[in-house]
Amino acid sequence: MSSSNSDHQQHNQDSTTHFGYKTVEKNDKASMVAGVFHSVAKQYDVMNDLMSFGIHRLWKRFTIDASGVRPGNKVLDLAGGTGDLTAKFSQLVGKEGKVILADINSSMLNVGRDKLRDRGLVQNIEYVQANAEALPFEENTFDVVTIAFGLRNVTDKDKALRSIYSVLKPGGRLLVLEFSKPEHELLNKAYDFYSFNILPKMGELVAKDGDSYQYLAESIRMHPDQDTLKGMMENAGFEQTSYKNLTGGIVALHKGYKF
C-alpha cells in the first residue's frame, strides 16, 4: 500500500465519527445531534417517561443521592437539558450555592429554563449554552459536575472528560449517568428488541419523529461500555473511579474524583 493511500485512510479515520450507526464527518456531527434535540426538545420529558416507564426519575434520584451535593456548593449540570437534576440541586445548594445548567442545544436549554422558572426556581440557577469539549468556565470552579444522558452525544468524549476535569475543584467529583451495557444476555436481547422495534415507533407516535429516536437507540449501542468508560475517566485524570449498574446495566452511574 502506498503511503499516500494509507495517509488518506488515516485522514478518514481522524476526520470521521459515529452518528448512531452512520459514519459522518466529525465537523458535521454536532449539527446533526443538534437537529435531533431541536426536534425532540418539546416532547423530551414525555418521551423520557414513556421510554423508561418513568424509571429515569429513579436513576436521576440515585445520581442526586450519590452526588453528595451540600449547601453552598457550585454544581455544573452538563447536558442538563430540561433541568431535572438542576431543579433538585438548586434546592440542595441553597442561597449560598449556585447551579449552572449547561447544554449545547438552545432548544433544550429554553425548555429547561421555562420549566424551572414555572416552578419558581430562579434564585441560584444560571443557564449557559456550552460545548462539553471546551467548557467556558475557569479551572477549579465546581464542587460537582454531573452529565446525565449527554456524554454519548458528544463527538470527542475524551476531550470532554478532560475539560470537565479542568473545571472541577480539587476534591470535586464527576458523575456520569448514561445508558450502558446490560449485564445479562437475555436482558440484552429484550432491550435490543425494545430499542429498535418499539422506541422509534413511540417516537413516531408521540413526538412525530421516529428518526430521532432511532438515532438515540443507535447512539446508546455505540457508547463505550462500563469498563471502557471507567478507563477513559482515568485517562482524563480522574481517581477513585467506580461505577454502579442500575436496572441490570441498562444504565450505569460512573463516579470519579479530582484530587
Side-chain angles (χ1 to χ4, degrees), residues 30-49:
S31 66
M32 292 171 82
V33 171
V36 169
F37 284 95
H38 285 309
S39 172
V40 302
K42 291 269 192 291
Q43 302 292 339
Y44 192 71
D45 285 338
V46 178
M47 282 301 295
N48 272 351
D49 277 332

Side-chain angles (χ1 to χ4, degrees), residues 18 42 69 77 87 90 109-112 133 140 143-144 146 148-149 151 163 167 169 179 188 206 210-211 218 228 252:
H18 297 288
K42 291 269 192 291
V69 166
D77 180 13
S90 163
L109 213 50
N110 290 337
V111 169
E133 293 174 25
N140 309 322
D143 298 286
V144 176
T146 57
F149 305 118
L151 187 60
S163 184
V167 302
K169 291 177 182 171
F179 291 107
N188 211 8
V206 179
D211 290 348
E218 291 176 7
T228 308

Side-chain angles (χ1 to χ4, degrees), residues 166-183:
S166 127
V167 302
L168 271 171
K169 291 177 182 171
R173 69 183 77 178
L174 163 66
L175 291 101
V176 180
L177 180 66
E178 188 54 89
F179 291 107
S180 206
K181 184 106 179 68
E183 297 164 276

Side-chain angles (χ1 to χ4, degrees), residues 224-236:
D225 67 16
Q226 287 89 329
D227 288 314
T228 308
L229 181 53
K230 185 175 186 289
M232 287 164 70
M233 287 171 68
E234 284 159 5
N235 288 342

Side-chain angles (χ1 to χ4, degrees), residues 107-196:
S107 298
M108 294 290 280
L109 213 50
N110 290 337
V111 169
R113 183 166 49 205
D114 291 347
K115 182 165 106 181
L116 297 183
R117 284 183 177 164
D118 287 348
R119 288 168 61 176
L121 296 168
V122 287
Q123 56 171 1
N124 57 5
I125 302 175
E126 273 178 32
Y127 300 87
V128 176
Q129 191 169 352
N131 181 343
E133 293 174 25
L135 293 169
F137 307 109
E138 305 253 315
E139 285 183 20
N140 309 322
T141 297
F142 297 101
D143 298 286
V144 176
V145 176
T146 57
I147 180 165
F149 305 118
L151 187 60
R152 71 176 193 283
N153 298 310
V154 173
T155 306
D156 188 336
K157 295 172 182 58
D158 294 301
K159 200 169 168 190
L161 289 168
R162 289 196 300 274
S163 184
I164 291 168
Y165 185 84
S166 127
V167 302
L168 271 171
K169 291 177 182 171
R173 69 183 77 178
L174 163 66
L175 291 101
V176 180
L177 180 66
E178 188 54 89
F179 291 107
S180 206
K181 184 106 179 68
E183 297 164 276
H184 303 293
E185 198 41 48
L186 202 61
L187 181 60
N188 211 8
K189 284 199 169 73
Y191 180 52
D192 269 353
F193 178 82
Y194 171 72
S195 300
F196 291 108

